[in-house]
Amino acid sequence: MGDTIFGKIIRREIPADIVYEDDDVLAFRDLNPQAPVHVLFIPKQPIATLNDATPEDAALLGKVLLAAADYARQEGFAQDGYRTVINCNTHGGQTVYHLHVHLLAGRRLSWPPG
Ligand code: 5GP
C-alpha cells in the first residue's frame, strides 16, 4: 500500500498528540474530534483497510483493540462506556487508508450512525 499521513505520524515526520505507543501499536488524538475523547489506534505495520487484513494480522488487530480497551480503563471512562469504530472504504467513510480504530468517549453517543 502507499504511504499515508499516519505513516508520517509513526515516523514522527509530522506532529501528533500521541497518547500511547508500544512495539506494534500507536495511538494519537484525532485532529477533528467528534467527541470529548477521540483517539485513533493504529497498527504500526500498515494495513490499508479491514478488507486487506489476513489471518496473519489477527494478533496485530487484537493488540490494537486491546490497547484501546486498556486506554479506556486507564483514563477512567471504561465503565461509562465508549465506542470503537473501523471505517472501511467509501461507504464506511474511510478517508485515511491505514487501518485505524476510532475510540470515542466522553458523552452519550447516538445510535444508529447517520
Ligand atoms: P477515517 O475517516 O479514515 O475513518 O478517519 C480518519 C481520521 O483521521 C479522521 O477522523 C481525521 O480527522 C483524522 N485525521 C486526518 N488527518 C489527520 C492528521 O494529520 N492528524 C490526526 N491526528 N488526525 C488526522
Side-chain angles (χ1 to χ4, degrees), residues 50-95:
L50 191 55
N51 287 339
D52 301 296
T54 69
E56 286 69 43
D57 297 317
L60 180 58
L61 292 174
K63 286 179 183 179
V64 173
L65 282 173
L66 290 174
D70 279 345
Y71 181 77
R73 277 189 288 271
Q74 283 165 22
E75 293 299 307
F77 57 79
Q79 282 306 316
D80 281 345
Y82 54 90
R83 183 169 298 162
T84 50
V85 175
I86 301 174
N87 295 326
C88 183
N89 279 343
T90 309
H91 283 193
Q94 185 171 9
T95 58

Side-chain angles (χ1 to χ4, degrees), residues 5-6 28-32 40 87 93-96 100 102:
I5 197 89
F6 292 174
F28 50 90
R29 293 189 194 283
D30 196 292
L31 204 57
N32 183 25
L40 303 173
N87 295 326
Q94 185 171 9
T95 58
V96 179
H100 48 282
H102 295 258

Side-chain angles (χ1 to χ4, degrees), residues 6-53:
F6 292 174
K8 295 186 194 328
I9 289 173
I10 291 168
R11 296 191 300 274
R12 300 328 200 243
E13 291 169 9
I14 63 167
D17 186 356
I18 292 170
V19 299
Y20 175 79
E21 181 169 24
D22 64 29
D23 287 347
D24 301 308
V25 178
L26 187 72
F28 50 90
R29 293 189 194 283
D30 196 292
L31 204 57
N32 183 25
Q34 302 301 311
V37 178
H38 188 172
V39 175
L40 303 173
F41 287 78
I42 68 172
K44 288 185 175 176
Q45 173 196 309
I47 302 167
T49 79
L50 191 55
N51 287 339
D52 301 296

